[in-house]
Amino acid sequence: MLLRCIKTVQYYWHCKNDVAQEYTEHELIEGCKRQQPKVQEYLYKRYYSDFMKVCMRYAPTVHDAEQWLNDGFYKVFTKVGMFDGKGSFEGWMKRVLVNTCLDQLRLSKKQSALQFKEVEENTVSVLSVHIQNDALQSLCFKEIISALQQLPETYRTVFNLHVFDGLGHKEIAAQLNIKEGTSHWYLNKAREMMKEKISQQTLKNK
């Protein structure tokens, strides 16, 4: 019964707003510890959309993102006892998902093109803080993510962890087993490459 809800990925793609708030955080945690199917299903439906966005930023394809998402939820369900109560349960789950994506990137070097879906409405506003390029506003979401996906894997991973997931360079260095200075270097180079790719895409659109 543990994975019953995970097998219904397509049905729950847009279900976030339809889920009634039936459980408190404590009830969710305890229900998952007891492997209660209804609680697991509720949690999966409630956070599918948010966590799919996280996986889409790391995965090379939509199929990979869905698989990594399911792997992440499986870890949440089976390792919920490791949640120590520090911070929010949602924040802990997100870290589990991000770590799952990083683990998959370490195992796989696939560079296939990403099949796009709309991932995050505020992507442009988030990027505009980190990339000073007026052309950013003229590009559609797909073109922006396309530019991001063209970055080499390590550059893209450091950029994602810092810009979208809010990790500091010390945390990134620990996650990727690199030095803090190296993390700074990858981020700066990724910013430069993103500026260049955005400018190139703008010229193509004219």
Side-chain angles (χ1 to χ4, degrees):
M1 298 296 289
L2 178 62
L3 299 181
R4 179 166 64 89
C5 57
I6 288 182
K7 295 179 180 179
T8 55
V9 171
Q10 297 299 326
Y11 177 76
Y12 293 130
W13 175 266
H14 293 297
C15 283
K16 176 183 175 182
N17 294 329
D18 297 330
V19 178
Q21 297 298 316
E22 299 175 354
Y23 299 96
T24 65
E25 182 175 281
H26 176 74
E27 289 170 337
L28 286 174
I29 295 170
E30 291 303 311
C32 285
K33 286 181 179 179
R34 298 187 181 95
Q35 296 189 11
Q36 295 176 346
K38 287 186 178 180
V39 175
Q40 292 172 341
E41 181 176 313
Y42 172 90
L43 196 70
Y44 188 81
K45 290 170 65 176
R46 172 64 180 82
Y47 289 103
Y48 179 91
S49 180
D50 288 342
F51 292 162
M52 185 62 177
K53 295 171 185 177
V54 173
C55 294
M56 283 285 289
R57 291 200 297 265
Y58 291 94
T61 69
V62 172
H63 175 76
D64 286 326
E66 290 178 342
Q67 183 60 55
W68 297 2
L69 176 76
N70 290 341
D71 290 345
F73 267 112
Y74 180 81
K75 290 179 181 179
V76 167
F77 293 152
T78 57
K79 298 184 179 181
V80 65
M82 297 177 64
F83 176 59
D84 58 10
K86 296 180 180 178
S88 69
F89 185 46
E90 180 179 352
W92 177 80
M93 289 191 294
K94 183 177 180 180
R95 288 193 295 274
V96 171
L97 265 293
V98 169
N99 287 336
T100 298
C101 292
L102 294 177
D103 288 342
Q104 292 294 337
L105 286 173
R106 294 186 187 105
L107 293 173
S108 174
K109 298 297 182 181
K110 292 185 293 183
Q111 296 293 327
S112 54
L114 176 64
Q115 301 173 26
F116 299 101
K117 285 186 180 289
E118 187 169 347
V119 175
E120 195 162 348
E121 293 179 356
N122 67 342
T123 295
V124 174
S125 61
V126 172
L127 286 176
S128 64
V129 175
H130 297 270
I131 300 176
Q132 304 302 318
N133 191 322
D134 294 337
L136 186 64
Q137 302 295 328
S138 67
L139 300 182
C140 69
F141 179 84
K142 180 176 179 178
E143 291 169 333
I144 294 171
I145 297 298
S146 177
L148 180 60
Q149 287 294 320
Q150 291 175 45
L151 297 180
E153 184 177 291
T154 304
Y155 295 74
R156 184 176 71 245
T157 301
V158 171
F159 189 84
N160 278 330
L161 288 171
H162 182 76
V163 174
F164 291 107
D165 297 313
L167 270 65
H169 288 289
K170 184 176 182 179
E171 295 172 292
I172 295 173
Q175 288 275 11
L176 302 183
N177 194 27
I178 59 178
K179 295 181 180 179
E180 284 187 55
T182 304
S183 176
H184 278 281
W185 185 85
Y186 274 121
L187 178 63
N188 290 333
K189 294 296 290 185
R191 282 172 171 162
E192 293 175 5
M193 295 170 74
M194 281 293 289
K195 288 180 183 179
E196 181 179 355
K197 291 181 182 301
I198 288 170
S199 296
Q200 290 174 350
Q201 185 61 52
T202 302
L203 291 175
K204 288 182 181 179
N205 292 345
K206 290 183 177 179

